[in-house]
Amino acid sequence: MTDKVAIIDVGTGYTKMGVAPNSTPQYVIPSVIGIRDQKLSSTITKKTGLEELDFLIGDEAVSNSKAYPSEKFMSHGIVSNWDHMEKFYEQCFYKYLRLNPEDYNVMLTEPPLNSPENREYLAEVMFETFNVKGMYIAVQAVLAICATWLSKNQTSQKLTGTVVDSGDGVTHIIPVSDGAVIPSAIKHIPIAGSDFTKFILEMIRDREPALPSDEAMQIARNIKEKYCYVSNHMVREYEKWDSNPQDYFKKYEGVHSVTKKPYSIDIGYERFLAPEIFFNPEIYSTQHTTPLPVLVDTAIQASPVDCRRALYSNIVLSGGSTLFKHFDKRLQKDITSIVTKRLAEHERKSGVAPTPIETKVISHHFQRNAVYFGGSILAQSGQFASLVHTKAQYDEYGPSICRVSPTFSSLM
């Protein structure tokens, strides 16, 4: 009988959790914790029936932020407060998943370049506090590649590819060869989902006096998720809008949660300008001006020569900020253009025509939860039981066994 596996993917913005073989997470909650403020009057908590709780997590922490000020314990994928992280895991196990961790193997995720010390501390928390049966710490990029195996665009189950992972806080470009990350080639962009939301908010706030200030951020987030798309060319897109504005301008209508008054907001050029930040970041930031396609190409060129073709042919998308309509097509077009120009320059200088390089960007239905879905696939594989770190191993050798987790081989 296959051991039961719980999967918890804690990201900077959101946490996805569930039990294999579920293909989608059972719960998706904000990665925040609210610690009760003892200085506040107990009146607030008594009204909500929360007076006996010391802390809350996820949506409860956000909705009760007056009595339980919300704090993030993750920064760019790295744990910044281990005490809060431990409390967060406690609620994930017992309140949300409602399982006894002693009966489960647990698959946890980590960003690239996570320190060995963080892995050891995570092992101590899992084995000593929760007494889990076994644990495996998987690199998020590797799981994202596994999530493409069931995609109609994928033709083989390989563990080599370039992962473009963009969530709420940061965007990473991570080359992976045979299940192992190439650390020296990793690139990152300090631009992700929250930046697009802020950009949209700035644009609509300048022209919409009816915008409710207390709901403005959520409105901007809704516009981003429902109306934004990636254009093929920014200047030409402006021309299309100006020639047929009735086809592109939209209206966002809502009702204020407190006053119950309806409001209407015009949605304009931010529909394509927000995602355009990926390809022309100078419209948003003066600190970072390198387009995403250029960074993807740079990351692959920084990888070993013998795996570059495979990295170009399997560019994998992961995270909610890669879900913009036409994002995959624009990224593939721009990377192909960069590669084609380099090959043409090589031919001009050498007089020898190089072998063409295939560039392929893989998108699929599980993109938003790609890391969780990839973890679910690997948790069901025959290799998982032999690669997981067990409680017996921890008791014998200590937390150092988790400094490195064995990598999966191709399952073909």
Side-chain angles (χ1 to χ4, degrees), residues 10-27:
V10 182
T12 305
Y14 292 90
T15 293
K16 293 101 173 175
M17 66 186 97
V19 177
N22 293 336
S23 59
T24 56
Q26 291 168 252
Y27 296 97

Side-chain angles (χ1 to χ4, degrees), residues 115-130:
S115 70
E117 291 76 17
N118 281 355
R119 287 169 152 265
E120 287 191 358
Y121 200 93
L122 190 55
E124 291 179 15
V125 170
M126 286 295 126
F127 284 116
E128 295 183 15
T129 302
F130 300 110

Side-chain angles (χ1 to χ4, degrees), residues 20-186:
N22 293 336
S23 59
T24 56
Q26 291 168 252
Y27 296 97
V28 179
I29 62 173
S31 298
V32 298
I33 184 169
I35 304 297
R36 183 180 180 186
D37 190 340
Q38 300 295 340
K39 295 180 182 179
L40 291 176
S41 169
S42 61
T43 304
I44 299 176
T45 53
K46 284 182 178 179
K47 285 182 178 179
T48 56
L50 300 170
E51 60 269 19
E52 296 183 0
L53 300 177
D54 293 328
F55 67 93
L56 301 172
I57 71 169
D59 294 311
E60 284 190 341
V62 174
S63 60
N64 295 283
S65 58
K66 289 184 178 179
Y68 294 80
S70 299
E71 299 178 27
K72 282 187 172 289
F73 50 87
M74 299 282 289
S75 177
H76 300 299
I78 304 296
V79 180
S80 55
N81 188 318
W82 280 101
D83 288 338
H84 290 176
M85 183 67 162
E86 188 172 330
K87 293 181 189 309
F88 190 84
Y89 275 125
E90 177 189 316
Q91 292 279 290
C92 289
F93 283 130
Y94 298 117
K95 180 173 182 177
Y96 286 89
L97 296 178
R98 298 192 178 188
L99 55 80
N100 183 356
E102 296 183 18
D103 298 332
Y104 282 75
N105 287 325
V106 179
M107 179 184 288
L108 307 174
T109 67
E110 65 172 1
L113 304 181
N114 191 24
S115 70
E117 291 76 17
N118 281 355
R119 287 169 152 265
E120 287 191 358
Y121 200 93
L122 190 55
E124 291 179 15
V125 170
M126 286 295 126
F127 284 116
E128 295 183 15
T129 302
F130 300 110
N131 200 31
V132 298
K133 187 175 183 180
M135 69 173 290
Y136 183 85
I137 306 174
V139 179
Q140 292 162 351
V142 176
L143 299 185
I145 291 178
C146 297
T148 68
W149 288 351
L150 300 183
S151 168
K152 64 180 181 181
N153 298 323
Q154 190 62 278
T155 56
S156 64
Q157 293 184 350
K158 50 190 174 183
L159 282 171
T160 296
T162 306
V163 178
V164 179
D165 185 9
S166 184
D168 189 62
V170 68
T171 298
H172 281 107
I173 299 103
I174 311 151
V176 178
S177 179
D178 292 328
V181 171
I182 305 173
S184 60
I186 293 173

Side-chain angles (χ1 to χ4, degrees), residues 30 81 141 172 177 195 218 229 290 324:
N81 188 318
H172 281 107
S177 179
D195 297 289
Q218 185 58 48
Y229 67 93
T290 307
F324 292 116

